[in-house]
Amino acid sequence: MIGGRSALRVEEKELVAEGICKLRLVEPRGMRLPDWAPGAHIDLNLSNGLTRQYSLCGNRWDAMSYEIAVLLEQNSRGGSEFIHRQLQVGDLVQMGGPRNNFRLVPADHYLFVAGGIGITPLLPMIEQAAMMEVPWTLLYGGRRLSSMAFIDRLRPHGDRAVIASRETQGRLDLAAAVSNLPRGAKVYCCGPTSMVDALEQICSVLPPGSLRRERFSAKIHPGPVRSTAYEVELARSGKVLTVKPGESVLDAVLKAGAPLLASCREGLCGTCETAVLCGVPDHRDSILSDAERERNASFYPCVSRSASDRLVIDL
């Protein structure tokens, strides 16, 4: 069920690097799973009440299973710890998706940059680029080689995949890699906040839209554009809601009884994306590119607000 909820069974669970386990998930009745493209993720609704998003990193042409890899976070809020410590082969988990906020778009050349577990959404992209014979380079960094997953899967690509641990080789030279990019290149990055922020600065000299990134945690934004209440009109029902300072649009919408699916509530997963029909949003998500923000065609009501007195949305 695309975009809805369905059950998956844990078919395999194995440790693929220090602190990283890979899960192979299948439909319990052996049915085909929804298709997906590189960059897609699924929501896992765990039996401890938590919902977490994980990138699909397996073979996209395998219609019978999904693969994800999960890092055991040092300061786990309960999701990764549950998967590592409690989830067992044979258990059922509820799934939402797949969804894709990190699509691989056509380019003349790709630079992929991964930090740690950030390699997971990039693996299918690399394999897609290789299959299409588009030139690409990967910079993959981590603390230690022992903590970096899927190195064996990357070895066949030779020197196009630069694998470096900070323990032995120091940090990746992102500036040099970007400065050597040919015209028409796209940069795809997934990793810790420090890496993504640094790459955003470095790529600011490239044409708009050259950098696509996916973050582990929500980007820190300055204070809201406005500190006063504003109105949100639900176009389909005609309801007009007053959203108070400090209240999210999502909470106001749900309080009014309008159906709106949400998951992370951090502007990271894309579940609650809603079309904007009129007005100017105050975008506070970690998904949209600068060009997409300027278009104001959609926003994420879990974190984004309104910069105008009224926002008309497609609900």
Side-chain angles (χ1 to χ4, degrees):
M1 180 184 297
I2 299 176
R5 291 286 184 268
S6 56
L8 297 179
R9 186 179 71 243
V10 180
E11 186 76 3
E12 296 176 7
K13 179 181 179 182
E14 64 172 315
L15 200 65
V16 292
E18 185 180 294
I20 299 176
C21 72
K22 183 181 75 173
L23 301 181
R24 182 171 179 267
L25 306 167
V26 301
E27 206 283 331
R29 296 162 294 176
M31 296 179 66
R32 179 188 177 96
L33 294 170
D35 294 336
W36 58 280
H41 70 266
I42 56 173
D43 304 329
L44 286 192
N45 304 98
L46 306 173
S47 60
N48 63 355
L50 298 176
T51 298
R52 295 291 183 263
Q53 290 74 40
Y54 298 104
S55 297
L56 293 171
C57 61
N59 177 8
R60 64 171 295 205
W61 307 111
D62 176 4
M64 307 308 292
S65 71
Y66 289 155
E67 288 185 5
I68 62 171
V70 181
L71 171 68
L72 179 58
E73 300 281 358
Q74 289 185 346
N75 299 310
S76 173
R77 293 177 296 168
S80 67
E81 186 174 15
F82 177 87
I83 288 174
H84 273 257
R85 312 286 192 212
Q86 298 185 50
L87 193 65
Q88 302 296 324
V89 171
D91 288 352
L92 295 180
V93 290
Q94 292 295 312
M95 178 203 77
R99 300 184 183 86
N100 201 336
N101 309 308
F102 194 38
R103 295 184 182 279
L104 186 68
V105 299
D108 298 327
H109 183 103
Y110 295 106
L111 171 63
F112 300 110
V113 181
I117 194 64
I119 190 63
T120 51
L122 301 184
L123 284 171
M125 295 186 183
I126 289 167
E127 290 162 358
Q128 178 82 2
M131 184 182 70
M132 297 179 67
E133 300 183 346
V134 178
W136 61 271
T137 304
L138 166 69
L139 300 183
Y140 178 19
R143 289 190 181 91
R144 298 174 301 280
L145 286 177
S146 60
S147 66
M148 297 170 68
F150 303 113
I151 290 177
D152 289 345
R153 189 165 156 186
L154 293 166
R155 293 287 190 207
H157 295 296
D159 57 8
R160 283 186 297 180
V162 178
I163 301 169
S165 72
R166 293 200 299 274
E167 187 177 65
T168 57
Q169 293 143 295
R171 294 187 180 275
L172 297 166
D173 192 343
L174 303 180
V178 171
S179 68
N180 291 324
L181 285 176
R183 184 183 298 272
K186 298 285 187 187
V187 182
Y188 278 78
C189 175
C190 184
T193 298
S194 58
M195 170 181 278
V196 178
D197 287 348
L199 200 56
E200 284 184 344
Q201 283 294 114
I202 293 167
C203 290
S204 62
V205 299
L206 299 179
S210 297
L211 172 65
R212 305 292 298 268
R213 67 272 186 269
E214 188 165 75
R215 293 176 174 270
F216 291 164
S217 55
K219 185 175 183 178
I220 298 174
H221 293 275
V225 169
R226 60 186 297 154
S227 57
T228 56
Y230 52 90
E231 292 182 338
V232 172
E233 180 181 339
L234 309 184
R236 297 185 203 175
S237 66
K239 287 184 180 178
V240 177
L241 315 177
T242 299
V243 182
K244 302 172 185 176
E247 182 182 26
S248 73
V249 177
L250 174 64
D251 286 341
V253 167
L254 295 178
K255 193 187 303 180
L260 179 56
L261 191 63
S263 182
C264 74
R265 291 177 176 261
E266 296 181 276
L268 279 169
C269 73
T271 305
C272 65
E273 183 176 15
T274 304
V276 175
L277 304 179
C278 188
V280 181
D282 175 11
H283 295 289
R284 307 179 65 76
D285 62 275
S286 300
I287 300 172
L288 296 177
S289 66
D290 290 341
E292 289 168 332
R293 291 168 191 265
E294 289 176 8
R295 285 198 293 270
N296 289 325
S298 66
F299 84 135
Y300 296 92
C302 63
V303 291
S304 296
R305 301 170 183 267
S306 180
S308 53
D309 291 336
R310 177 175 286 204
L311 201 62
V312 182
I313 61 177
D314 188 20
L315 282 177

